[in-house]
């Protein structure tokens, strides 16, 4: 564990943040943003230890009291440790999970929408139209219009490994006839058919043939 910040030199606008994430190496149960201006020796910047309650982080540091339980210096040092541990791989994973959450959130907004052949707007969707709309609205990604085009994207993954934001397909790799967006835990959202519209289903109720990851 780092006992102090070793870097010395100019600190322009430095933000050190610790946040909660089930998938990332971040501080448990705390979140802090700190801002510093000007030139300072980071190793002595927090010589005066100010204590704050971890449950009241978010209040101004000037409101902290000596009686509270967590020192700002300690939390800053913890955040620095985890920031160092944030490799490019974990940063990429965090971005993928964030993007997946946005795509799924958009798709779920359309539960109950009509099924319309060729549709790709809230007025009505077909299966690939829902996928195209969700990725475009959430991330600005311009996916192909049809399942034939969408199946060519990304990499195939094991169906049991499909996670939130992955695409699930029915049919063959060369001629898929249906597509949905995985929600994780064996669920997906899709524009099912004319009678059912946009809805949630499970792998058990209507099992996809394979899955692809495009994020």
């Amino acid at each position: 564990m780092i006992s102090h910040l070793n870097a010395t030199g100019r600190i322009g606008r430095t933000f050190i943040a610790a946040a909660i994430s089930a998938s990332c190496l971040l501080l448990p149960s705390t979140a802090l943003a700190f801002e510093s201006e000007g030139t300072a020796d980071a190793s002595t910047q927090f010589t005066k230890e100010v204590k704050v309650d971890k449950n009241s982080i978010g209040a101004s540091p000037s409101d902290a009291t000596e009686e509270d339980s967590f020192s700002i210096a300690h939390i800053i040092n913890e955040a620095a440790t985890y920031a160092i541990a944030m490799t490019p791989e974990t940063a990429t994973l965090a971005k993928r999970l964030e993007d997946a959450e946005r795509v799924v959130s958009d798709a779920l907004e359309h539960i109950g929408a009509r099924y319309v052949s060729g549709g790709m707007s809230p007025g009505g969707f077909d299966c690939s139209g829902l996928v195209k709309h969700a990725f475009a609205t959430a991330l600005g990604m311009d996916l192909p219009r049809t399942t034939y085009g969408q199946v060519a994207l990304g990499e195939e993954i094991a169906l049991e490994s499909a996670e939130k934001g992955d695409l699930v397909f029915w049919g063959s790799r060369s001629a898929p006839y249906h597509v949905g967006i995985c929600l994780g835990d064996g669920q997906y959202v899709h524009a099912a058919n004319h009678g059912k519209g946009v809805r949630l289903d499970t792998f058990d109720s209507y099992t996809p043939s394979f899955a692809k990851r495009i994020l």
Side-chain angles (χ1 to χ4, degrees), residues 92-104 139 215:
T92 298
L93 173 61
K95 178 64 164 60
R96 179 171 70 79
L97 295 175
E98 178 186 359
D99 287 350
E101 188 68 43
R102 293 170 63 186
V103 168
V104 165
L139 305 178
L215 292 176

Side-chain angles (χ1 to χ4, degrees), residues 41-74:
D41 182 338
S43 66
T44 60
Q45 189 168 352
F46 303 108
T47 300
K48 180 179 179 182
E49 186 175 79
V50 181
K51 294 178 180 296
V52 296
D53 189 319
K54 68 177 180 178
N55 294 317
S56 64
I57 293 173
S60 170
S62 63
D63 296 333
T65 68
E66 290 293 335
E67 290 73 24
D68 293 322
S69 61
F70 269 67
S71 73
I72 290 177
H74 175 72

Side-chain angles (χ1 to χ4, degrees), residues 121-202:
S121 72
F125 297 98
D126 64 11
C127 63
S128 56
L130 176 65
V131 171
K132 181 176 176 64
H133 182 276
F135 278 83
T137 302
L139 305 178
M141 291 177 63
D142 186 17
L143 269 58
R145 172 63 189 86
T146 67
T147 56
Y148 283 76
Q150 292 171 3
V151 77
L153 303 175
E155 62 178 350
E156 185 168 341
I157 56 174
L159 191 58
E160 58 270 22
S161 299
E163 299 174 352
K164 186 177 291 187
D166 293 334
L167 299 185
V168 288
F169 291 88
W170 287 255
S172 69
R173 277 78 174 164
S174 59
Y177 58 83
H178 192 61
V179 63
I181 301 172
C182 187
L183 306 178
D185 298 322
Q187 296 183 306
Y188 55 88
V189 56
H190 64 145
N193 53 44
H194 288 284
K196 296 178 179 179
V198 177
R199 55 178 281 157
L200 301 181
D201 272 309
T202 69

